[in-house]
Amino acid sequence: MLQHNNNTEHIQGVGPLIAQSSDISRTLKQQIFEHVRGAGLCARVDISSSLRISPASVTALVNELIQAGFVHEVTTPPREGEPIRGRPPVSIAIRKDAFFVAGIKTNDKTHTAVIMDFAGNMLGSADIAHNSASRGANDILKEINDVLQMALKESGIKQSQLSAIGMGLPGLIDCAAGKVIWSPMLDQQNIALAAMASEVLNCPVFIDNDTNLVTLAELWFGKGRTVSDFAVVTIEHGIGMGLVVNHRIYRGAHGVGMELGHTKVQLDGALCRCGQRGCLEAYVADYALVREASTALTLDPSEMGDISLILDRLFEEAKNGHEAATTIFKRAGRYLATGLANVVNLFDPSLVILSGARMQYDFLYEDEVLQEMERQTLDWQRTRPDIEVHTWGDLLWAQGAAALALSELTETLLSATSTNQ
């Protein structure tokens, strides 16, 4: 159906911007849909030119997408001062009210939920604080349902209108199997959490590691939209990494790859929470900094409760020139430089994004750290990757969970209506 839209300038795209796909598993119909979603608004002739698909094929496949209710035509008003001649130009846009999804991010202190339409517009959000102790899956799912209801209320969307829910939590997550192998949030291992959540929330649920979610958020809504290969390194309670290759998240053969925090930087070194020694995480993550701070600041055991408060005090002391506090951050920065150099040497990304709550401590990414990373990177006359620091909050991570839901929903819908074209 042709819709008259006087606000086409406000239609913005989401998702990776892929000019022409080398991935033969993606049908022409899927390529066209993703191109429209990425552009937000585009004419058929632009689709044909960008994807190098014949105009006849574009017309036929766009018509199929329109009939399926995934996209629609909108009139594009002439620019100011331009005369109107003949029929107004027509563009293609995602039909935003076709489907709705939710994204939920959970960590040791907060659950955050967002509601999005099919075009990736955020309609509502909510967050609730909770007890950080690990507990049973049923208890967490009850809390997640509570925050979901709050977000739905703000968005004006009914739960029955949701077509998919994305959910992320820390730990080892097998996304394809919908299984939590291990998470500090749960008191059990090897839990089929996606299936449990689907039953409780009465909607298909997809789960992933929280670092992959922030990577998806960058891929769908951030600078990663225009980059085919990039890495995201998160520094929170642990050290995480997400990797995008050819505009797609790479998870490894078993879905649990990219554990940068557990690569070794010191043989027989400091004890990591995974039980092994010498992991990068054991020198850079917040619990590692707190361990060092307890000695440097001569903290009383009664002061060892809130990790964030301890780290803030450590950072303040370092800023004020406290030698031991400064040394702790400098040492962590050197180990982080080693980890980043390993990422560059292994994957040669064009962009590395540093994210997470601990990026507020600029000692971890000051020029000295980046210079050390360069010294440890093989010099093959390549340009050093761009380094971006994004101190996003939980809301962006929840948006990444919604992007997971949109991605899985899109794959399902387009597979069901696919042709051999």
Side-chain angles (χ1 to χ4, degrees), residues 10 22 25 30 37 51 53 55 104 116 138 173-174 186 211 213 217 245 252 275-277 279 282 332 355 384 421:
H10 298 306
S22 60
S25 67
Q30 184 171 352
R37 183 178 61 198
L51 299 180
I53 301 173
I104 301 170
M116 283 188 181
N138 288 327
I173 314 296
D174 186 337
L186 294 165
T211 302
L213 295 188
V245 178
Q276 298 185 5
R277 289 187 175 275
C279 297
S355 187
R384 191 191 82 182
Q421 292 177 291

PDB file of all heavy atoms in Angstrom, residues 10 22 25 30 37 51 53 55 104 116 138 173-174 186 211 213 217 245 252 275-277 279 282 332 355 384 421:
ATOM      1  N   HIS A  10      12.759  11.951   8.688  1.00  0.00           N
ATOM      2  CA  HIS A  10      13.013  11.410  10.017  1.00  0.00           C
ATOM      3  C   HIS A  10      13.175   9.890   9.999  1.00  0.00           C
ATOM      4  O   HIS A  10      13.381   9.285  11.038  1.00  0.00           O
ATOM      5  CB  HIS A  10      11.872  11.790  10.962  1.00  0.00           C
ATOM      6  CG  HIS A  10      11.717  13.272  11.153  1.00  0.00           C
ATOM      7  ND1 HIS A  10      12.757  14.076  11.551  1.00  0.00           N
ATOM      8  CD2 HIS A  10      10.652  14.096  10.976  1.00  0.00           C
ATOM      9  CE1 HIS A  10      12.340  15.338  11.636  1.00  0.00           C
ATOM     10  NE2 HIS A  10      11.067  15.366  11.284  1.00  0.00           N
ATOM     11  N   SER A  22      29.021 -10.641  -0.337  1.00  0.00           N
ATOM     12  CA  SER A  22      29.791 -11.766  -0.860  1.00  0.00           C
ATOM     13  C   SER A  22      29.360 -13.054  -0.180  1.00  0.00           C
ATOM     14  O   SER A  22      29.945 -14.103  -0.396  1.00  0.00           O
ATOM     15  CB  SER A  22      31.290 -11.524  -0.610  1.00  0.00           C
ATOM     16  OG  SER A  22      31.546 -11.386   0.781  1.00  0.00           O
ATOM     17  N   SER A  25      24.970 -17.218   1.182  1.00  0.00           N
ATOM     18  CA  SER A  25      23.856 -17.765   1.948  1.00  0.00           C
ATOM     19  C   SER A  25      22.719 -16.751   2.076  1.00  0.00           C
ATOM     20  O   SER A  25      21.610 -17.113   2.448  1.00  0.00           O
ATOM     21  CB  SER A  25      24.322 -18.196   3.344  1.00  0.00           C
ATOM     22  OG  SER A  25      24.694 -17.069   4.120  1.00  0.00           O
ATOM     23  N   GLN A  30      16.760 -11.133   0.906  1.00  0.00           N
ATOM     24  CA  GLN A  30      17.295 -10.724   2.193  1.00  0.00           C
ATOM     25  C   GLN A  30      18.239  -9.536   2.033  1.00  0.00           C
ATOM     26  O   GLN A  30      18.229  -8.602   2.840  1.00  0.00           O
ATOM     27  CB  GLN A  30      18.021 -11.879   2.877  1.00  0.00           C
ATOM     28  CG  GLN A  30      18.519 -11.539   4.280  1.00  0.00           C
ATOM     29  CD  GLN A  30      19.048 -12.749   5.020  1.00  0.00           C
ATOM     30  OE1 GLN A  30      18.909 -13.883   4.552  1.00  0.00           O
ATOM     31  NE2 GLN A  30      19.646 -12.534   6.166  1.00  0.00           N
ATOM     32  N   ARG A  37      16.482  -1.617   5.267  1.00  0.00           N
ATOM     33  CA  ARG A  37      16.540  -1.381   6.712  1.00  0.00           C
ATOM     34  C   ARG A  37      17.742  -0.508   7.070  1.00  0.00           C
ATOM     35  O   ARG A  37      17.658   0.379   7.929  1.00  0.00           O
ATOM     36  CB  ARG A  37      16.628  -2.719   7.449  1.00  0.00           C
ATOM     37  CG  ARG A  37      16.610  -2.599   8.967  1.00  0.00           C
ATOM     38  CD  ARG A  37      16.658  -3.971   9.618  1.00  0.00           C
ATOM     39  NE  ARG A  37      17.875  -4.687   9.258  1.00  0.00           N
ATOM     40  CZ  ARG A  37      18.038  -6.004   9.383  1.00  0.00           C
ATOM     41  NH1 ARG A  37      17.044  -6.746   9.845  1.00  0.00           N
ATOM     42  NH2 ARG A  37      19.157  -6.590   9.037  1.00  0.00           N
ATOM     43  N   LEU A  51      23.233  -2.703  -4.993  1.00  0.00           N
ATOM     44  CA  LEU A  51      23.412  -4.150  -4.873  1.00  0.00           C
ATOM     45  C   LEU A  51      23.740  -4.819  -6.202  1.00  0.00           C
ATOM     46  O   LEU A  51      23.971  -6.029  -6.241  1.00  0.00           O
ATOM     47  CB  LEU A  51      22.156  -4.782  -4.269  1.00  0.00           C
ATOM     48  CG  LEU A  51      21.778  -4.322  -2.864  1.00  0.00           C
ATOM     49  CD1 LEU A  51      20.514  -5.031  -2.384  1.00  0.00           C
ATOM     50  CD2 LEU A  51      22.919  -4.573  -1.885  1.00  0.00           C
ATOM     51  N   ILE A  53      21.825  -5.443  -8.744  1.00  0.00           N
ATOM     52  CA  ILE A  53      20.750  -6.372  -9.080  1.00  0.00           C
ATOM     53  C   ILE A  53      19.916  -5.714 -10.167  1.00  0.00           C
ATOM     54  O   ILE A  53      19.680  -4.506 -10.133  1.00  0.00           O
ATOM     55  CB  ILE A  53      19.869  -6.670  -7.854  1.00  0.00           C
ATOM     56  CG1 ILE A  53      20.723  -7.270  -6.718  1.00  0.00           C
ATOM     57  CG2 ILE A  53      18.735  -7.624  -8.199  1.00  0.00           C
ATOM     58  CD1 ILE A  53      19.962  -7.425  -5.407  1.00  0.00           C
ATOM     59  N   PRO A  55      17.028  -4.142 -12.382  1.00  0.00           N
ATOM     60  CA  PRO A  55      15.800  -3.447 -11.977  1.00  0.00           C
ATOM     61  C   PRO A  55      14.583  -4.363 -11.952  1.00  0.00           C
ATOM     62  O   PRO A  55      13.722  -4.221 -11.068  1.00  0.00           O
ATOM     63  CB  PRO A  55      15.660  -2.348 -13.031  1.00  0.00           C
ATOM     64  CG  PRO A  55      17.063  -2.095 -13.502  1.00  0.00           C
ATOM     65  CD  PRO A  55      17.729  -3.443 -13.477  1.00  0.00           C
ATOM     66  N   ILE A 104      16.492  -7.487  26.458  1.00  0.00           N
ATOM     67  CA  ILE A 104      16.694  -7.459  27.912  1.00  0.00           C
ATOM     68  C   ILE A 104      18.159  -7.728  28.217  1.00  0.00           C
ATOM     69  O   ILE A 104      18.727  -8.713  27.754  1.00  0.00           O
ATOM     70  CB  ILE A 104      15.808  -8.501  28.620  1.00  0.00           C
ATOM     71  CG1 ILE A 104      14.322  -8.227  28.317  1.00  0.00           C
ATOM     72  CG2 ILE A 104      16.055  -8.491  30.125  1.00  0.00           C
ATOM     73  CD1 ILE A 104      13.396  -9.326  28.758  1.00  0.00           C
ATOM     74  N   MET A 116      11.206  -2.400  20.812  1.00  0.00           N
ATOM     75  CA  MET A 116      11.484  -1.816  19.498  1.00  0.00           C
ATOM     76  C   MET A 116      10.464  -2.269  18.478  1.00  0.00           C
ATOM     77  O   MET A 116       9.921  -3.374  18.582  1.00  0.00           O
ATOM     78  CB  MET A 116      12.880  -2.208  19.002  1.00  0.00           C
ATOM     79  CG  MET A 116      14.013  -1.454  19.628  1.00  0.00           C
ATOM     80  SD  MET A 116      15.574  -1.821  18.804  1.00  0.00           S
ATOM     81  CE  MET A 116      16.685  -0.816  19.780  1.00  0.00           C
ATOM     82  N   ASN A 138      14.543 -19.612  37.662  1.00  0.00           N
ATOM     83  CA  ASN A 138      13.151 -19.185  37.815  1.00  0.00           C
ATOM     84  C   ASN A 138      13.046 -17.832  38.500  1.00  0.00           C
ATOM     85  O   ASN A 138      12.192 -17.003  38.158  1.00  0.00           O
ATOM     86  CB  ASN A 138      12.355 -20.230  38.590  1.00  0.00           C
ATOM     87  CG  ASN A 138      12.103 -21.487  37.777  1.00  0.00           C
ATOM     88  OD1 ASN A 138      11.953 -21.417  36.556  1.00  0.00           O
ATOM     89  ND2 ASN A 138      12.054 -22.634  38.437  1.00  0.00           N
ATOM     90  N   ILE A 173      27.812 -18.521  26.931  1.00  0.00           N
ATOM     91  CA  ILE A 173      26.474 -18.727  26.390  1.00  0.00           C
ATOM     92  C   ILE A 173      26.578 -19.381  25.020  1.00  0.00           C
ATOM     93  O   ILE A 173      27.303 -18.889  24.140  1.00  0.00           O
ATOM     94  CB  ILE A 173      25.707 -17.397  26.238  1.00  0.00           C
ATOM     95  CG1 ILE A 173      25.849 -16.521  27.493  1.00  0.00           C
ATOM     96  CG2 ILE A 173      24.252 -17.664  25.890  1.00  0.00           C
ATOM     97  CD1 ILE A 173      25.252 -17.114  28.743  1.00  0.00           C
ATOM     98  N   ASP A 174      25.860 -20.469  24.812  1.00  0.00           N
ATOM     99  CA  ASP A 174      25.753 -21.100  23.505  1.00  0.00           C
ATOM    100  C   ASP A 174      24.497 -20.540  22.853  1.00  0.00           C
ATOM    101  O   ASP A 174      23.379 -20.992  23.115  1.00  0.00           O
ATOM    102  CB  ASP A 174      25.664 -22.620  23.652  1.00  0.00           C
ATOM    103  CG  ASP A 174      25.688 -23.343  22.302  1.00  0.00           C
ATOM    104  OD1 ASP A 174      25.332 -22.712  21.291  1.00  0.00           O
ATOM    105  OD2 ASP A 174      26.039 -24.535  22.273  1.00  0.00           O
ATOM    106  N   LEU A 186      23.792 -17.262  37.726  1.00  0.00           N
ATOM    107  CA  LEU A 186      23.009 -18.468  37.995  1.00  0.00           C
ATOM    108  C   LEU A 186      23.741 -19.416  38.929  1.00  0.00           C
ATOM    109  O   LEU A 186      24.970 -19.521  38.883  1.00  0.00           O
ATOM    110  CB  LEU A 186      22.694 -19.184  36.684  1.00  0.00           C
ATOM    111  CG  LEU A 186      21.764 -18.416  35.720  1.00  0.00           C
ATOM    112  CD1 LEU A 186      21.818 -19.036  34.334  1.00  0.00           C
ATOM    113  CD2 LEU A 186      20.353 -18.409  36.262  1.00  0.00           C
ATOM    114  N   THR A 211      28.566  -9.429  26.009  1.00  0.00           N
ATOM    115  CA  THR A 211      29.531  -8.723  25.175  1.00  0.00           C
ATOM    116  C   THR A 211      29.127  -8.777  23.705  1.00  0.00           C
ATOM    117  O   THR A 211      29.301  -7.799  22.966  1.00  0.00           O
ATOM    118  CB  THR A 211      30.941  -9.311  25.347  1.00  0.00           C
ATOM    119  OG1 THR A 211      31.316  -9.225  26.724  1.00  0.00           O
ATOM    120  CG2 THR A 211      31.959  -8.554  24.514  1.00  0.00           C
ATOM    121  N   LEU A 213      26.158  -8.714  22.765  1.00  0.00           N
ATOM    122  CA  LEU A 213      25.054  -7.769  22.638  1.00  0.00           C
ATOM    123  C   LEU A 213      25.552  -6.349  22.407  1.00  0.00           C
ATOM    124  O   LEU A 213      24.999  -5.612  21.580  1.00  0.00           O
ATOM    125  CB  LEU A 213      24.171  -7.802  23.888  1.00  0.00           C
ATOM    126  CG  LEU A 213      23.413  -9.098  24.159  1.00  0.00           C
ATOM    127  CD1 LEU A 213      22.434  -8.899  25.313  1.00  0.00           C
ATOM    128  CD2 LEU A 213      22.674  -9.578  22.928  1.00  0.00           C
ATOM    129  N   ALA A 217      24.947  -4.007  19.233  1.00  0.00           N
ATOM    130  CA  ALA A 217      24.490  -2.619  19.332  1.00  0.00           C
ATOM    131  C   ALA A 217      25.363  -1.698  18.490  1.00  0.00           C
ATOM    132  O   ALA A 217      24.876  -0.793  17.807  1.00  0.00           O
ATOM    133  CB  ALA A 217      24.477  -2.174  20.793  1.00  0.00           C
ATOM    134  N   VAL A 245      32.928 -10.073  11.589  1.00  0.00           N
ATOM    135  CA  VAL A 245      33.646 -10.409  10.364  1.00  0.00           C
ATOM    136  C   VAL A 245      32.648 -10.362   9.216  1.00  0.00           C
ATOM    137  O   VAL A 245      31.621 -11.044   9.253  1.00  0.00           O
ATOM    138  CB  VAL A 245      34.294 -11.812  10.449  1.00  0.00           C
ATOM    139  CG1 VAL A 245      34.988 -12.160   9.129  1.00  0.00           C
ATOM    140  CG2 VAL A 245      35.279 -11.885  11.609  1.00  0.00           C
ATOM    141  N   GLY A 252      32.408 -18.480  16.935  1.00  0.00           N
ATOM    142  CA  GLY A 252      33.220 -19.684  17.073  1.00  0.00           C
ATOM    143  C   GLY A 252      32.414 -20.939  16.792  1.00  0.00           C
ATOM    144  O   GLY A 252      31.188 -20.911  16.681  1.00  0.00           O
ATOM    145  N   GLY A 275      39.682 -20.012  37.563  1.00  0.00           N
ATOM    146  CA  GLY A 275      40.441 -21.081  38.205  1.00  0.00           C
ATOM    147  C   GLY A 275      41.835 -21.251  37.651  1.00  0.00           C
ATOM    148  O   GLY A 275      42.669 -21.927  38.255  1.00  0.00           O
ATOM    149  N   GLN A 276      42.107 -20.645  36.491  1.00  0.00           N
ATOM    150  CA  GLN A 276      43.440 -20.718  35.911  1.00  0.00           C
ATOM    151  C   GLN A 276      44.244 -19.482  36.307  1.00  0.00           C
ATOM    152  O   GLN A 276      43.730 -18.554  36.933  1.00  0.00           O
ATOM    153  CB  GLN A 276      43.346 -20.848  34.390  1.00  0.00           C
ATOM    154  CG  GLN A 276      42.627 -22.110  33.940  1.00  0.00           C
ATOM    155  CD  GLN A 276      42.649 -22.285  32.440  1.00  0.00           C
ATOM    156  OE1 GLN A 276      43.271 -21.519  31.705  1.00  0.00           O
ATOM    157  NE2 GLN A 276      41.962 -23.313  31.963  1.00  0.00           N
ATOM    158  N   ARG A 277      45.511 -19.484  35.926  1.00  0.00           N
ATOM    159  CA  ARG A 277      46.403 -18.379  36.309  1.00  0.00           C
ATOM    160  C   ARG A 277      46.928 -17.662  35.071  1.00  0.00           C
ATOM    161  O   ARG A 277      47.107 -18.269  34.024  1.00  0.00           O
ATOM    162  CB  ARG A 277      47.584 -18.889  37.149  1.00  0.00           C
ATOM    163  CG  ARG A 277      47.171 -19.328  38.555  1.00  0.00           C
ATOM    164  CD  ARG A 277      48.373 -19.670  39.418  1.00  0.00           C
ATOM    165  NE  ARG A 277      47.959 -19.968  40.797  1.00  0.00           N
ATOM    166  CZ  ARG A 277      47.770 -19.054  41.723  1.00  0.00           C
ATOM    167  NH1 ARG A 277      47.976 -17.778  41.447  1.00  0.00           N
ATOM    168  NH2 ARG A 277      47.398 -19.402  42.939  1.00  0.00           N
ATOM    169  N   CYS A 279      45.581 -15.122  33.362  1.00  0.00           N
ATOM    170  CA  CYS A 279      44.628 -14.586  32.385  1.00  0.00           C
ATOM    171  C   CYS A 279      44.678 -13.057  32.359  1.00  0.00           C
ATOM    172  O   CYS A 279      44.937 -12.418  33.382  1.00  0.00           O
ATOM    173  CB  CYS A 279      43.204 -15.024  32.715  1.00  0.00           C
ATOM    174  SG  CYS A 279      42.910 -16.803  32.653  1.00  0.00           S
ATOM    175  N   ALA A 282      42.655 -11.357  35.023  1.00  0.00           N
ATOM    176  CA  ALA A 282      43.178 -11.345  36.385  1.00  0.00           C
ATOM    177  C   ALA A 282      44.023 -10.115  36.687  1.00  0.00           C
ATOM    178  O   ALA A 282      44.421  -9.902  37.836  1.00  0.00           O
ATOM    179  CB  ALA A 282      44.007 -12.609  36.631  1.00  0.00           C
ATOM    180  N   ALA A 332      47.738  -2.307  34.881  1.00  0.00           N
ATOM    181  CA  ALA A 332      46.580  -2.852  34.175  1.00  0.00           C
ATOM    182  C   ALA A 332      46.568  -2.381  32.723  1.00  0.00           C
ATOM    183  O   ALA A 332      46.235  -3.151  31.804  1.00  0.00           O
ATOM    184  CB  ALA A 332      45.298  -2.429  34.883  1.00  0.00           C
ATOM    185  N   SER A 355      34.757  -0.590  25.447  1.00  0.00           N
ATOM    186  CA  SER A 355      33.465  -0.253  26.025  1.00  0.00           C
ATOM    187  C   SER A 355      33.361  -0.836  27.427  1.00  0.00           C
ATOM    188  O   SER A 355      34.200  -1.626  27.855  1.00  0.00           O
ATOM    189  CB  SER A 355      32.337  -0.797  25.135  1.00  0.00           C
ATOM    190  OG  SER A 355      31.075  -0.360  25.580  1.00  0.00           O
ATOM    191  N   ARG A 384      47.433   1.383  11.851  1.00  0.00           N
ATOM    192  CA  ARG A 384      46.886   0.970  13.133  1.00  0.00           C
ATOM    193  C   ARG A 384      45.372   1.129  13.118  1.00  0.00           C
ATOM    194  O   ARG A 384      44.858   2.121  12.594  1.00  0.00           O
ATOM    195  CB  ARG A 384      47.476   1.824  14.249  1.00  0.00           C
ATOM    196  CG  ARG A 384      47.167   1.303  15.644  1.00  0.00           C
ATOM    197  CD  ARG A 384      47.530   2.317  16.710  1.00  0.00           C
ATOM    198  NE  ARG A 384      46.465   3.307  16.865  1.00  0.00           N
ATOM    199  CZ  ARG A 384      46.512   4.340  17.709  1.00  0.00           C
ATOM    200  NH1 ARG A 384      47.575   4.519  18.454  1.00  0.00           N
ATOM    201  NH2 ARG A 384      45.514   5.186  17.789  1.00  0.00           N
ATOM    202  N   GLN A 421      15.701 -16.843  -5.920  1.00  0.00           N
ATOM    203  CA  GLN A 421      16.334 -15.667  -6.525  1.00  0.00           C
ATOM    204  C   GLN A 421      17.355 -15.043  -5.591  1.00  0.00           C
ATOM    205  O   GLN A 421      17.231 -15.110  -4.389  1.00  0.00           O
ATOM    206  CB  GLN A 421      15.256 -14.635  -6.868  1.00  0.00           C
ATOM    207  CG  GLN A 421      14.353 -15.116  -7.994  1.00  0.00           C
ATOM    208  CD  GLN A 421      13.258 -14.120  -8.256  1.00  0.00           C
ATOM    209  OE1 GLN A 421      12.370 -13.943  -7.439  1.00  0.00           O
ATOM    210  NE2 GLN A 421      13.315 -13.462  -9.391  1.00  0.00           N
TER     211      GLN A 421
END
